[in-house]
Amino acid sequence: MRRVVLIFLVLFLQAARPAAACEGRVLDDPRVHASPLCLPSAPQRVVVLDQSFALGIGLDMGLPVVGAPLTRMSDEALLARAEAAGVTDLGFVTEPSLERIVALQPDLILGFTGDPGLAESFYPMLSQLAPTLLDVSGDWRGFYDIVAGLTGREDQAREMFAAYEARLAELRPRVPDVPVSVLRITTWDFQVYTDTPGAYAPFEILAEAGVRRSAYETAPEGPALKRPDWEELGQLDGEILLYIVGGTNDSATNGRHEEVLANPLWQMLPAVRSGQVHRIDPAVWMEFSGLGSAHRVLDDIERFILPAQ
């Protein structure tokens, strides 16, 4: 009850403030929800809403991040960076504590989502607490542009991307022309992130590196996410299979992982039969957080997909 009263009190006080001309900087960008926005010219206390893009890219670009949802993060390196920077834990990413956000008194709230409908649902309340920048484009590269602009570090961002693009260009010609399958195993289902326009960042990078996915996983105009049943697993017929287990779900510890690997339908997959099956890190593939994660995707390509030298 105290939490509800606190939230409504804050919202009332914020709503009661008279409207005024923007005293900071105006951001007019179609990638941002509710643009144009009035933002502080030099944010001092930034709360981020996710433990991946907004946290990683915010720290990369020198934002003074004071709060983020750190609970059950699987990316230990990013968690250590956040803790070293004094970032307060807001709880689990799907249920951040509004009380903690209020207590932190942010002057900017930052989030990354490719879903405009989701942004629309929680923007009205958050924007009463502080100016709220929600990127709805789903373009992680473009998000660097936006965040770098908040700190004046555009040149630094360009240099970081130049180094990454050079590595990508060097790697691409060495990628073999063999089909590769990628599967996420959760506690409740299987998930396949497809090679499709607007794919989730790690899978976009696979395509940019020249990695060819199986026919089932290639959807030029189809869904970005498929949820195959046991029988459909047979369509993951890549010569190499990468799979993800654990992270923000309990599939690595509740017996689900062992159940899947012991199933005859799993054992019949071509890559499993040939021994070309590799478990990959959910911290990289499911909590992608910027250029550091992008380089780790390239590491996995070199480790598991390139032919042995």
Side-chain angles (χ1 to χ4, degrees):
M1 185 61 167
R2 183 177 63 85
R3 176 182 179 182
V4 173
V5 172
L6 174 62
I7 292 169
F8 276 98
L9 176 61
V10 171
L11 296 183
F12 173 79
L13 292 174
Q14 294 281 352
R17 293 175 181 171
C22 182
E23 297 179 356
R25 59 189 295 264
V26 176
L27 177 66
D28 191 356
D29 191 313
R31 297 170 294 187
V32 173
H33 182 72
S35 180
L37 295 175
C38 178
L39 303 177
S41 55
Q44 298 299 311
R45 301 185 59 78
V46 180
V47 162
V48 300
L49 300 176
D50 63 80
Q51 57 198 31
S52 49
F53 292 97
L55 177 59
I57 294 173
L59 292 177
D60 281 352
M61 291 295 96
L63 278 182
V65 179
V66 296
L70 306 179
T71 298
R72 297 187 65 183
M73 281 183 65
S74 57
D75 190 336
E76 295 181 359
L78 182 56
L79 175 60
R81 285 180 65 195
E83 291 177 338
V87 176
T88 295
D89 181 14
L90 302 179
F92 189 52
V93 64
T94 60
E95 297 178 336
S97 168
L98 289 176
E99 283 185 303
R100 294 180 192 174
I101 294 176
V102 170
L104 287 170
Q105 298 182 321
D107 59 3
L108 176 66
I109 297 174
L110 182 69
F112 181 92
T113 173
D115 184 349
L118 183 62
E120 181 68 33
S121 67
F122 55 75
Y123 176 83
M125 180 171 63
L126 291 173
S127 62
Q128 294 296 323
L129 303 178
T132 300
L133 192 165
L134 303 177
D135 185 305
V136 295
S137 69
D139 176 10
W140 67 279
R141 289 172 175 80
F143 194 51
Y144 266 99
D145 292 338
I146 293 171
V147 177
L150 298 175
T151 58
R153 300 194 180 193
E154 295 92 340
D155 288 345
Q156 176 185 331
R158 281 191 288 269
E159 291 173 4
M160 293 169 67
F161 269 99
Y164 166 72
E165 295 292 349
R167 184 183 177 194
L168 184 64
E170 187 279 329
L171 177 65
R172 191 179 296 114
R174 298 189 286 133
V175 172
D177 184 23
V178 299
V180 175
S181 292
V182 188
L183 176 70
R184 184 189 187 197
I185 301 169
T186 74
T187 299
W188 54 90
D189 68 357
F190 297 115
Q191 298 176 3
V192 171
Y193 288 80
T194 59
D195 180 0
T196 190
Y200 177 44
F203 304 93
E204 177 187 8
I205 292 168
L206 281 183
E208 291 176 344
V211 175
R212 179 163 64 89
R213 306 283 294 282
S214 72
Y216 177 78
E217 300 163 78
T218 304
E221 298 180 354
L225 177 65
K226 293 183 176 181
R227 301 179 186 273
D229 57 24
W230 277 104
E231 287 68 28
E232 289 178 296
L233 281 188
Q235 298 185 62
L236 298 175
D237 55 3
E239 293 183 22
I240 300 169
L241 172 62
L242 309 178
Y243 76 95
I244 306 155
V245 64
T248 56
N249 67 88
D250 297 326
S251 55
T253 57
N254 65 1
R256 169 71 166 165
H257 180 213
E258 292 78 8
E259 171 200 349
V260 171
L261 269 59
N263 192 288
L265 293 173
W266 171 269
Q267 296 174 3
M268 290 173 60
L269 294 175
V272 176
R273 293 201 309 269
S274 66
Q276 292 296 311
V277 56
H278 309 282
R279 180 174 172 177
I280 53 179
D281 189 350
V284 176
W285 292 81
M286 291 292 105
E287 293 181 22
F288 187 93
S289 58
L291 279 165
S293 296
H295 279 286
R296 290 158 74 183
V297 171
L298 299 186
D299 290 344
D300 282 348
I301 293 174
E302 291 184 326
R303 184 180 302 116
F304 300 127
I305 298 177
L306 294 190
Q309 302 298 316

